[in-house]
Amino acid sequence: MYRFYTKSGMPYRHVHKIWLIMRLTTVILIATLMQVSAAGLAQKINLSKSNVPLKAVLKEIRTQSGYDFVYAEDIFDVAKPVNIQVKDAELQDVLKEIFKAQPLTFTISKTTVTIQPKEPTFLERLANRWASIDASGRVVDSENRPLPGASVKVKKTGKAVSTDKDGRFFLRGVEEGAVLVVSFIGYLTKEIKAAKELGDVVLELSTSKLDEVQVIAYGTTTQRLSTGNVTTIKTDVIEKQPVNNPLLALQGRVPGLFIEQATGFAGTGVKVRIQGQNSLNNGSDPLYVIDGVPYNSQLLPGGNPILGGSGAVSSGIPLYGNPLNFINPSDIESIDILKDADATAIYGSRAANGAILITTKKGKSGDTRVNVNLQSGWGSVPRKLDLMNSQQYLEMRREAMKNDNITEPTPGNFGDNDLNGNWDNSRYTDWQEELIGKTAVYQDINASISGGTGQTTYLLGTGYHKETNVFPGDYADQKASVHFNLNNTSLNQRFKVQLSASYMYDHNQLPYKDLTQTALTLAPVAPEIYQPDGSLNWEPDKFGNTTFFNPVGFTFDKFLTKTNNLTSNLLLSYELLPRLTLSSSFGYNNMVSNSVNKFLQQSTAPEFRQYVPRSTIFVDNNINSFSIEPQLNYHMTIGKGILEALLGATLLQNRNRGNQIGASGFSNDLVMDDIMSASTVTPASSVRSVYKYNALFGRLNYNWQNKYILNLTGRRDGSSRFGPKSRFHNFIAGGAAWVFSEEGFLKNNLSFISFGKLWASYGTTGSDQIGDYRYLSLLDPAYQVNPYQNIVLYKPSRITNPYLEWEETRKLQVGLELGFFSDKILLNSTYYRNHSSNQLSDYSLPLTTGFSNIIRNQTFKIRNSGWEVALSATAVQTQEFSWKPAFNITVPKSLLVDYPDILKSSASSTAIIGQPLSAERVYHFLGVDPETGIYQFADKSGNATSKPDPYSDKTVLVDFAPEFYGGFQNSLSCHGFQLDFLFSFVKQIARNYTFGILPAGAFREGLRNQPSSLFNRWQKPGDKATIQKYTTGFSLDQPYLDAAASDAGISDASYVRLKNVSLSWEIPKQWIKSVKLQGCNLFLQGQNLFTITNYSGLDPETKSSASLPTLRVITLGVKISL
Amino acid sequence: MKDRIITTIYILFFMLIVSSCKKWVDVDGPETSVGFKEAFSTDATAIGVITSLYADMGNQVLGQPAHLTSLSCIAGLSADELRYFNASGNSLLNAYYTNSLNAQIVGDPGYWGAIYAEMYVVNTAIEELNAATLLTPKVKQQLTGEAKFLRAFYYFYLTNLYGDVPLIIGTDYTVNARISKKPKADIYKQVLLDLTEAQNLLSEYYLQGDGITVYPAEAQERVRPNKWVATALLARVYLYLNNWTEAEAQASKIIDGQSQFHLESLDKVFLKSSKEAIWQVLPTKGYLNTTDADLFVLMSTGPSGNNPVYLNERLVESFEDNDERLSSWVGSVSANGKTYYYPNKYKIIRSSEPSPPITEYSTVMRLAEQFIIRAEARVQLGNQSGAVSDIDEIRKRAGLPLLESISSGLQKKDLLAAILKERRMELFTEWGHRWLDLKRLNLIDQVMSTATPEKNQGSTWKSYQQYYPLSIAELQKNTNLIQVPGY
């Protein structure tokens, strides 16, 4: 039969014996202590008692007989009252009579009577066996839905079963009245007395964060039982943020997850890194999975460059925008971020950089519910740079001319328009106000209907979102979306089907040019934008030639992208045998985007229009992927633990098709959307690629009484991205957790610790994020408008490497999780160390090879390590008021290690061994030489020089990676009011706007306004200045460039940002009863409200002053449920 | 119904386990590309690979120091032919112009990277052609000739721009990434070897796009190299090597042996039908004829960001009175109170039509240069009268008095000076002739030490600036490479 072992490794039956011995000792001890003496001997006994306690009867007999009685005190617990009528009876007979009905027996020796419990006879034992019962029942949630897989355990014996698909359980041979412990992930554990028919056991949802459901690869868990590093963000957090990309709702909330928005445009690129960058320059994106179906991490080429990228390039072509922009944040139930190997290894090759699992909303059974959420608001650029005014600007320009010995400003319309009389010098325009100062309008409406009966539930949702932009002109991003989810379970509960789909149509009308940089650099004396009649002003000179290339002209060029995105998933599952379930998911994703990028003639100065034909670039992209994932799930009880086994396979195919076609020669502006109206059509590029991927995977999870948990996963992957010889690779991982708070010694002694878990995981994941067909040597056709002798031309696209292999990341993570005072304070700390080796990387080649790089596996390793700490608390929780603060911080560190052949490698110039990937060497800036007025730098021996040697004098090492980042969040609620706010913070450095981006005080790129801080310049020998003497030519160009490449060009870009504020008020129920509303919430939300930073630039997040900074958005809204 | 679903799942699952994994990850190559081996197994794709190199020459942006084509502008700036318009704000062009290049500013790919990129195609083509079995033999022979010619053409320019350079004739990137420089003489050895082979392999006729068919005389397009193109380059190379006999012999093969070449009137030299052309390339970009006209021809408003260069006044002043080339090949505009001159050999500017009629082809080599080459060789060989008659062919066409009438008292030195001047006036802003000639004749220090300060106040000429530097990145990536001396 079963063997039970205790933790000390001793067989269970031995323990039982010890227990018996101990009981016997007690009996003897008590017997000795009993001061019972014999009063007399061998006398006849007379008794007449009715319903008298045994103890009293024995006392009477002792008095009459003088015999001593030896017994353990506890025998009276089971003794029955005595009825006896005897006269002059023998002691032996009397005792026989008394003990006949008692579960006790006696022995007489000399003058002592010893009383013991009766040994049961075989028959009695048999009868007792029949007395135990078979307990059965059904475990359900508060809405009477069955909870399959719940655990039912006999507290005393540890015997456990789990519920079937209907939530039913059957426990054989339980003592009636024994205590059963019923538990289920995400619910409060309940203890009940065993009975034959227990009926429905209702489990209440747990309110502890530890018991919230976490979605993991091919399953679910909770923070309490997880053996890996998983963070979950729920819909209540997402819906408080007026963002159009769900990823932006995660900023500052997840330790180990660094998210950076590229620009302030709707549809912006978003860079996502989980625990750092694991790959030198290929694929550091996490795996996105929506309802079990893999989703694209990048868009195809051809997006609008002003959106900025999401941190990836494809064959040297930057990819703009972000695919998660086409997912409605309101459709999302939860987002789970999987960080360590234990959580991600089952995704094998694709999860080296972690995984982000998105679960969409599902219906709940019950009455039909309607939710409507309306909001509208405003967005604006939150910060302006302090630039020179007209007077300062002109002074700077004149001085620069003087320093270069230029007496006359260059005449003509391409000359120095600001000084040569073409522009009115008395003008002043705040170009930041004119060009990026508008208020964007934000509108959002989401509605959903959900409901269902026991067997079928459904949810239908729809949304509309509109966001305009801060530039002059008419631009808007509009999104319409539909989401549905349908669940059905067969009557016998064995067959289940779930269908969910989300569809979004996005209509994003953007300009082609970002005016932000123009707003910062346009001369303040530049002419008016509009003429009195409202038309654009090109400020012609006396010859009629344009002197002002009006930036607003660019707003005539329109970039319209229409995207249709469908993600859908069908999940079928069937219980083949009790505890054995076969299921399969069928996923399909189709993203079609069509862009029309029109260049109208109005954007060009009038006299050049004859040379610039109207032209349109048409971009059509189609990403099409399907996946099938059959799985077998088995769970059984082994000992006091539950074993779950999973076996599955993945088939995935991804097809990308894209075309970019240029068309020009349209006869008027109205027909520019129609390619047939173009006189010339030029194919610009095309993408056709197929990616196939398959895998076999398995997982074993053993949970011993929620105390010891072991999780093992393995996967064998094949990817079409590698040469035929190295397509397959194995990945394995293991994780273990010890919930030490379940141990008795802690429960009894340190009860203020309500939860304690120590976990560790180790394993391998891989990456094949290199783009398709990289192992083939290929020639691409090159299009010619005017074909050379009518020949189709072919050009080599890259140098070949047929030996490409998988990149591998080994992840080691250890975590300690603690809960104090009934989980009122939760502390979660993790140390991670990821080693990425066999790096798939662009190995840079000298140009003599014909190419600047080749992709190949490289020997160096990248180590990403760091600490993640998250602390959350329920500081105050009363009926009226609650306050819940939460804090998280991540201290990452990335190093390039193990690079034995660095000297031979062509990467030696960029990567520095033993230093972070993001490190660079720069000059040390020594300020302006007071004698010459030229910047000085320290050479390698520390001496000042104005001509530093780029090979040897770059002595300062700077690292652009964040030093630490995190967030501090507070939730307050009081009388129906709820206030949430989040501060996010980052400590980092970046290139500043003063030196790092533009040469300060130089005009190498034409007339440019500059920050007013640059006014402190050198003018004459002896001046102590921060800026070298102004110049307009190239005479001092190199020192300007060197200053940009020095530590002066880099400065602190740390910031603390009030990322999100949400204030909501729930209208009291009695007020809305009359209008038949279930609930009504009024709310005010704000995003990026203010930023505390020393950064000299527009935005320390985008770190760019050439792109639109993240906007400050404030919205007002109402949420109604019917 | 339900049973059927369940059966389907069963079957799917079973299939997955049983079917071999390998099959599921096999993909065909992309529909959009072709492999190297396949490319050299059909005539059309093999021709497409080589022809892309010619198309490149007709397409490059002249204002960017990368592909050889732009030497017409960039080497003109480095020498004393062109001036750079300061307000255009391009520090790299400015450095080429003021002879103040350095390893930091030069950037990649530059001529170095661009030429070696094409060299890779040529070397791969030579390897693949050598192994190819499915090509039509005539096509295979012609393409091999073209590839060898191109290799010589590229090395000629590489060594003249950079001095000593690595000699790369294979395709193994591990070797080419660690390669070191070879002396100039070794490079020329390879150039001569390739050109002699090319001369033998190439067709005598100008061929059409199929690599076999000869153009009918009336519709001839001289856009693929043939035997005479290789011969013309060979004449130039011998001249550079001071092998006067061979230079004269090769030039004579073209001048005397071929009636298909003759000097055209000035207005017809650069037209697509020019009989003076030995090799032209066809512009394949939209809206344009040649990129030369696009860059050089100034608008009425004068130089600008789009047209940042104009002719150096010293060059314009050097034209003799009545030189018809001044009126025919030099244009001028008056803007901002100043007269700007510009090269006007190519005249058709950007059109608003995407495919305007193309009447001008970019001329890489032409007969006039062969006359000048032969004249110089003949002077060196002591054949003064032959030299004078060659030069007079050029002067006659330019409407100038013939040297014949005034040459009786001329010394060899004077005659060489006259030839050099004729070179300058004839070949200005064509493929960097002036910049290369100054170096070849060791005149560069003498000429540039006055020209450089004149171009930009404060600039001085340093002799090492006659070769362009390699970028820092290139030197760091291949530690066996040494920088051009002086930088």
Side-chain angles (χ1 to χ4, degrees), chain A residues 57-123:
Chain A
V57 177
L58 293 184
K59 201 176 175 187
E60 181 67 35
I61 296 172
R62 195 194 60 158
T63 316
Q64 290 186 24
S65 66
Y67 276 68
D68 283 339
F69 284 79
V70 174
Y71 48 80
E73 193 69 26
D74 63 349
I75 62 162
F76 299 112
D77 296 351
V78 295
K80 292 170 181 170
V82 178
N83 292 301
I84 192 164
Q85 304 288 336
V86 287
K87 263 199 171 205
D88 295 331
E90 286 297 320
L91 177 71
Q92 190 142 3
D93 296 337
V94 173
L95 290 175
K96 263 184 190 164
E97 178 64 26
I98 288 170
F99 284 96
K100 194 165 71 187
Q102 297 289 351
L104 303 166
T105 179
F106 68 94
T107 46
I108 304 170
S109 100
K110 295 187 182 155
T111 62
T112 303
V113 181
T114 306
I115 299 166
Q116 278 179 318
K118 224 182 239 176
E119 283 288 308
T121 63
F122 175 72
L123 273 175

Side-chain angles (χ1 to χ4, degrees), chain A residues 189-217:
Chain A
T189 300
K190 193 169 185 177
E191 297 196 351
I192 50 169
K193 285 233 160 122
K196 263 194 180 155
E197 188 46 69
L198 283 159
D200 284 350
V201 180
V202 182
L203 291 188
E204 295 297 326
L205 264 174
S206 166
T207 50
S208 169
K209 233 184 131 45
L210 293 176
D211 294 311
E212 276 180 6
V213 174
Q214 290 185 330
V215 178
I216 53 166

Side-chain angles (χ1 to χ4, degrees), chain A residues 412 545 576 610 630 649 664 680 692 694 727 773 777 779-781 785-786 788-789 795 845 847-848 909 1004 1034, chain B residues 10 16 21 24 26 32-34 56 89 91 94 176 207 215 223-224 283-284 287 301 336 352 354 358 474 476:
Chain A
N545 298 321
L576 291 173
Q610 53 176 314
S664 59
T680 304
K692 285 181 183 175
N694 73 11
R727 284 201 171 140
Y773 310 116
S777 153
L779 291 154
D780 294 334
V785 178
N786 184 35
Y788 205 103
Q789 293 187 311
K795 291 182 166 205
L845 292 174
L847 298 171
T848 44
S909 58
R1004 61 198 305 262
F1034 293 100
Chain B
Y10 268 116
L16 194 69
C21 284
W24 279 100
D26 275 346
T32 46
S33 311
V34 54
D56 270 356
S91 58
N94 194 63
N176 297 344
L207 298 180
Y215 276 108
V223 294
R224 295 198 82 81
T284 65
Y287 303 103
T301 53
N336 317 319
S352 61
I358 295 185
E474 188 71 358
Q476 285 175 336

Side-chain angles (χ1 to χ4, degrees), chain B residues 127-284:
Chain B
E127 278 180 10
E128 297 289 348
L129 283 164
N130 199 26
T133 51
L134 298 167
L135 296 179
T136 311
K138 265 191 156 174
V139 171
K140 181 173 161 174
Q141 182 187 332
Q142 171 72 15
L143 288 182
T144 310
E146 288 184 22
K148 297 214 158 160
F149 164 76
L150 279 171
R151 186 156 73 188
F153 183 77
Y154 292 143
Y155 275 119
F156 171 76
Y157 279 102
L158 263 180
T159 196
N160 274 291
L161 293 177
Y162 293 95
D164 297 346
V165 294
L167 179 64
I168 290 174
I169 52 171
T171 57
D172 182 347
Y173 81 89
T174 55
V175 173
N176 297 344
R178 309 286 310 143
I179 203 154
S180 46
K181 286 182 176 176
K182 276 267 190 310
K184 213 169 168 176
D186 291 1
I187 303 298
Y188 269 120
K189 230 180 260 172
Q190 180 69 35
V191 168
L192 288 177
L193 185 73
D194 279 337
L195 279 180
T196 330
E197 279 188 55
Q199 227 178 4
N200 294 329
L201 290 165
L202 287 167
S203 165
E204 289 191 40
Y205 305 100
Y206 287 104
L207 298 180
Q208 296 193 21
D210 60 2
I212 298 172
T213 317
V214 177
Y215 276 108
E218 68 280 6
Q220 200 179 46
E221 304 216 350
R222 300 176 169 185
V223 294
R224 295 198 82 81
N226 65 5
K227 189 187 191 86
W228 310 115
V229 179
T231 308
L233 183 59
L234 203 50
R236 189 195 292 175
V237 170
Y238 281 127
L239 182 78
Y240 274 60
L241 294 173
N242 298 345
N243 185 337
W244 317 115
T245 322
E246 276 298 327
E248 190 204 10
Q250 298 296 339
S252 297
K253 281 187 193 171
I254 295 170
I255 299 168
D256 303 334
Q258 290 295 315
S259 58
Q260 56 178 318
F261 303 109
H262 61 76
L263 293 181
E264 294 270 12
S265 65
L266 289 175
D267 55 335
K268 294 198 174 113
V269 175
F270 300 98
L271 298 184
K272 71 183 250 191
S273 53
S274 166
K275 297 293 175 216
E276 185 178 332
I278 300 174
W279 181 29
Q280 294 182 311
V281 288
L282 189 154
T284 65

Side-chain angles (χ1 to χ4, degrees), chain A residues 252-436:
Chain A
R253 296 180 191 272
V254 184
L257 176 68
F258 191 67
I259 290 182
E260 230 170 38
Q261 190 174 341
T263 70
F265 293 101
T268 174
V270 179
K271 188 168 120 181
V272 180
R273 294 288 177 263
I274 295 178
Q275 293 179 342
Q277 180 167 337
N278 289 318
S279 193
L280 184 61
N281 49 17
N282 272 291
S284 287
D285 289 318
L287 170 71
Y288 296 99
V289 178
I290 299 180
D291 286 335
V293 183
Y295 187 72
N296 315 306
S297 58
Q298 292 287 344
L299 295 174
L300 291 182
N304 191 338
I306 69 168
L307 292 176
S310 296
V313 289
S314 157
S315 317
I317 309 164
L319 303 172
Y320 301 111
N322 187 288
L324 275 300
N325 279 316
F326 309 115
I327 299 293
N328 184 353
S330 301
D331 292 339
I332 296 176
E333 179 65 39
S334 67
I335 302 179
D336 294 85
I337 297 92
L338 278 49
K339 294 174 261 185
D340 69 326
D342 179 59
T344 55
I346 200 156
Y347 282 127
S349 58
R350 294 164 303 163
N353 307 308
I356 294 184
L357 312 188
I358 295 176
T359 310
T360 59
K361 286 180 178 162
K362 294 180 175 49
K364 284 181 183 144
S365 63
D367 200 12
T368 305
R369 281 186 92 99
V370 177
N371 282 308
V372 182
N373 192 331
L374 282 162
Q375 60 179 316
S376 62
W378 308 270
S380 58
V381 172
R383 192 163 185 239
K384 270 194 202 174
L385 284 188
D386 189 12
L387 303 176
M388 290 191 188
N389 60 29
S390 298
Q391 192 202 335
Q392 292 171 315
Y393 170 80
L394 289 169
E395 193 180 325
M396 165 175 75
R397 288 280 291 143
R398 291 201 180 101
E399 199 174 306
M401 294 265 173
K402 204 179 101 213
N403 289 343
D404 280 0
N405 296 324
I406 298 169
T407 46
E408 277 295 304
T410 314
N413 63 324
F414 285 100
D416 298 317
N417 285 312
D418 52 349
L419 297 178
N420 66 10
N422 280 336
W423 290 354
D424 174 4
N425 281 357
S426 66
R427 282 186 48 79
Y428 170 74
T429 311
D430 178 355
W431 290 110
Q432 294 183 81
E433 187 58 40
E434 291 293 321
L435 299 178
I436 57 172

